[in-house]
Each structure stands twice: as structure tokens, then as C-alpha cells.
Amino acid sequence: MRALAGLVAIALMLICGDALAADEAAPNHKPVRAIADTRLSVGGQGILPLYLSSDWSLPLPAISRAIIVLHGRLRNADDYYLSAHTAQVAAGDDGKHALMIVPQFLAEIDIEAHKLPADMLRWSLEGWEGGEAALGPNPVSSFEALDAILAKLSDRRIFPNLKQVVVAGHSGGGQVAQRYAIAGKGEMALSRQHIDVRYVVANPSSYAYFTAERPLPAIAKSCPGYNNWKYGMDERPPYVANVAPDTLEQRYVEREVVYLLGTLDTNPKHPALDKSCMAEAQGATRYARGHAYADVMAKRNHGTPHHRVWDVAGVGHDGDKMLTSACGLAALFDSPGCGAER
């Protein structure tokens, strides 16, 4: 199987000295090491690479759950595919009927370094985290790429027994998952097929707020643009711009969201932490920002009955450990043993 062969190749590279999706301390302006081996056309406007644990060009009647795992700022989908596979194995019987999907949001430097075809989608180094349009070959939002994946999963000819889709991300991928839970349109295709959707937001550097209020208002006051997207509702990109903030908030509140927060992700000087004043206004660390955001949302008029906050004890900014923790397995596979809700 091509996916298994790719996994073995990636594992060999890791044995040679690289770690799994862990600290993300390296700079993100270097080309990625590996390009995912499957291709998906996004509305005929460009091609998205991704890893799959099973070939979805053929019917997959055994699949009842699909889990999309979003990589972090390094665009290292290979690492996250290994983490996804590790989590699936750790889930035991809960993971046996799951399809693991890891899309890859490339940058221009990756296209050049790997001499990829002109129709391969590429974004700015961090624009994909907030749903911005691709730099080429057409201005496709990274959220449209996720829409295309969900549309594929809604095809009952391929997935006759699919019951749930999980959109999960850590770090930069957590930013994508949180914003897509607000703005994403792909869930509608799944709802028509009575397929449930869950969003898992793990250790992102920032969140999209629905009002101008912030946990640290003094910083916000001195920070021009602190309420611009992806931190707030001002100056939203085209994919999000045509929906009113109140409507976006109501949509977000109604969706099932699990916040996974590592209790040791508390370093205010972490090299991959967003230290812009827009992010600093949300709190000093990822752990503080996550709890502050969840608390603000819970106190809003709508409340958040479908949102849960789970602490992952003893884990810092480590995607592999977050996804394979008891709470990570509970969020992805409904495995028992988390018990960390606050």
C-alpha cells in the first residue's frame, strides 16, 4: 500500500535523527523535508497534497470515522502523519475503523525546493493558518481545501458507513481548526448525510474573538489591528467576509469543539509562540490564552454547551504527546480515560 510505504520511509528519516511533531522550534522559512504522496483537486483551482491511511479512490465500507490532523507552522505533514498513526494504534479497537487524513499546506519555497508542478497549491508561510487565499496557482482559501476534503468524505459511494468526522490541529494546525470551526462551510455536505463533525483545537498561539474585548485590554489598547482577523472579526478574508460576525459566532457555538491544552505549554518565550501584540492581548502563554478564550466564550449570551476544555497534564508544546495522550485519544476516537475537563 502506498500509504504504508510512505509511512515506512518517513519512519526511516525520523530514525536518522528527527523528532516527531514536537517542539516546532525550528524556523518555518525552510523547505519541508517531504511532500505528501496523495493528491486532491480543490474545485479544479489547484492541487492539495495529503497523506491517507487508506486509498479513498475505492469504496471504504469499514470506515466509520475520519480524522483530519492538521500540521503546525513547519508544514511537516510527514511528522503529523506518524503522530496520527501512533494515536490510531494507541486507540486500539476505537481506532480500527478510522481513516487518518493529513493535508499539507505548502509554501512557495516548498514548490521550488521539490520542483513541484505549477498546479500545486501554495500559501504564504502563515497565511494558511487563517484561511487566506493561496498565492498560486489560484487564490484558493486553505478553508476551501478543507471544504474539498469534507466534500470527499460526504460521498456515500466511497464512505457508506461514515458516522463522524474529526477536524483536529495542534499549534498552527490548532489555529486552522479553531478558525475553520468558526467559518468552515464544508460541514453542510456532511450534515446532509447525517455525519457528525467535531473540532479539536490543541495548543494554538491565538484564537479568533467575536468582540473587541480581550483578557489583557491594556495591550489591546496600544495595539493597532488587534481585532483584525485572524485575532478578531475586522478585515476578514474573502472566504469569511460575507458572513456577519453574529452569524459566525452562532455557528461556532452550535458546533462541537474540544480545546486540548497542555498544562506545561506555559513558556511566554517559546520560540514558536506568537508574540505579536495581537496575540499578547489574549494572554501570556498558550495555556493561559486557551483558558481565557474558553472562559470568555462560556460567559457570552449564547454560552457554549457543545464546547469542552480538557487539560493534558504534564505535556508542553508537543503535538505527538498531545494527540497520543488519554485526552487526545478521547477527543479523536472517543476512547475512555481522559477525565481532565475543567
Side-chain angles (χ1 to χ4, degrees):
M1 183 187 298
R2 181 174 61 178
L4 180 59
L7 185 63
V8 171
I10 294 167
L12 290 174
M13 285 189 289
L14 291 172
I15 291 172
C16 292
D18 290 287
L20 287 173
D23 206 30
E24 299 206 5
N28 63 343
H29 56 260
K30 295 181 179 179
V32 296
R33 177 181 55 202
I35 305 296
D37 59 359
T38 303
R39 304 288 181 263
L40 177 67
S41 175
V42 180
Q45 299 296 301
I47 301 298
L48 179 75
L50 67 167
Y51 289 105
L52 298 173
S53 60
S54 297
D55 182 359
W56 67 3
S57 67
L58 302 171
L60 294 172
I63 296 299
S64 59
R65 182 190 304 261
I67 300 175
I68 302 168
V69 177
L70 303 168
H71 59 70
R73 66 195 288 268
L74 301 184
R75 310 180 302 285
N76 50 338
D78 52 342
D79 289 340
Y80 276 82
Y81 184 52
L82 277 174
S83 294
H85 175 75
T86 302
Q88 184 178 18
V89 172
D93 289 343
D94 295 327
K96 288 183 177 178
H97 300 288
L99 171 67
M100 309 305 291
I101 305 166
V102 182
Q104 190 170 30
F105 300 101
L106 298 174
E108 192 72 51
I109 53 175
D110 305 320
I111 305 297
E112 296 170 356
H114 292 272
K115 298 179 171 57
L116 297 175
D119 62 354
M120 195 72 72
L121 288 165
R122 76 294 302 263
W123 286 266
S124 65
L125 290 175
E126 296 177 358
W128 55 273
E129 294 177 350
E132 291 182 10
L135 301 178
N138 291 292
V140 176
S141 168
S142 53
F143 292 168
E144 290 180 84
L146 291 177
D147 290 345
I149 295 175
L150 298 192
K152 178 73 175 183
L153 294 173
S154 72
D155 187 346
R156 284 301 190 186
R157 297 169 299 178
I158 305 296
F159 300 99
N161 298 308
L162 187 65
K163 296 179 175 62
Q164 185 178 54
V165 172
V166 179
V167 180
H170 175 261
S171 193
Q175 294 191 49
V176 179
Q178 198 264 330
R179 275 72 174 192
Y180 190 74
I182 291 173
K185 303 168 187 175
E187 185 173 318
M188 291 184 289
L190 296 172
S191 296
R192 287 193 290 267
Q193 299 299 330
H194 306 289
I195 299 170
D196 295 330
V197 182
R198 174 185 300 159
Y199 302 89
V200 179
V201 179
N203 290 344
S205 270
S206 66
Y207 300 79
Y209 275 73
F210 293 99
T211 73
E213 298 179 8
R214 292 295 184 274
L216 299 177
I219 295 178
K221 186 177 180 180
S222 63
C223 178
Y226 79 94
N227 200 45
N228 289 347
W229 185 267
K230 60 186 176 176
Y231 306 93
M233 291 292 118
D234 296 341
E235 298 188 16
R236 302 187 303 281
Y239 182 97
V240 191
N242 63 349
V243 182
D246 286 349
T247 302
L248 290 171
E249 182 177 8
Q250 185 59 43
R251 178 188 299 171
Y252 185 60
V253 166
E254 292 173 354
R255 289 177 169 172
E256 182 183 1
V257 179
V258 176
Y259 303 96
L260 286 181
L261 303 174
T263 61
L264 298 185
D265 201 347
T266 55
N267 180 3
K269 297 182 180 180
H270 189 279
L273 179 68
D274 185 345
K275 301 178 186 67
S276 68
C277 61
M278 293 83 77
E280 294 284 359
Q282 298 185 12
T285 68
R286 293 186 186 87
Y287 184 73
R289 293 172 191 179
H291 275 289
Y293 183 78
D295 289 346
V296 166
M297 289 301 302
K299 294 173 183 176
R300 298 277 294 151
N301 293 333
H302 303 288
T304 51
H306 305 297
H307 294 192
R308 290 169 286 173
V309 183
W310 291 347
D311 280 358
V312 181
V315 177
H317 198 65
D318 188 315
D320 189 67
K321 291 181 180 179
M322 290 293 292
L323 296 178
T324 60
S325 67
C327 287
L329 298 180
L332 299 181
F333 302 97
D334 288 313
S335 299
C338 177
E341 187 168 2
R342 283 182 50 174

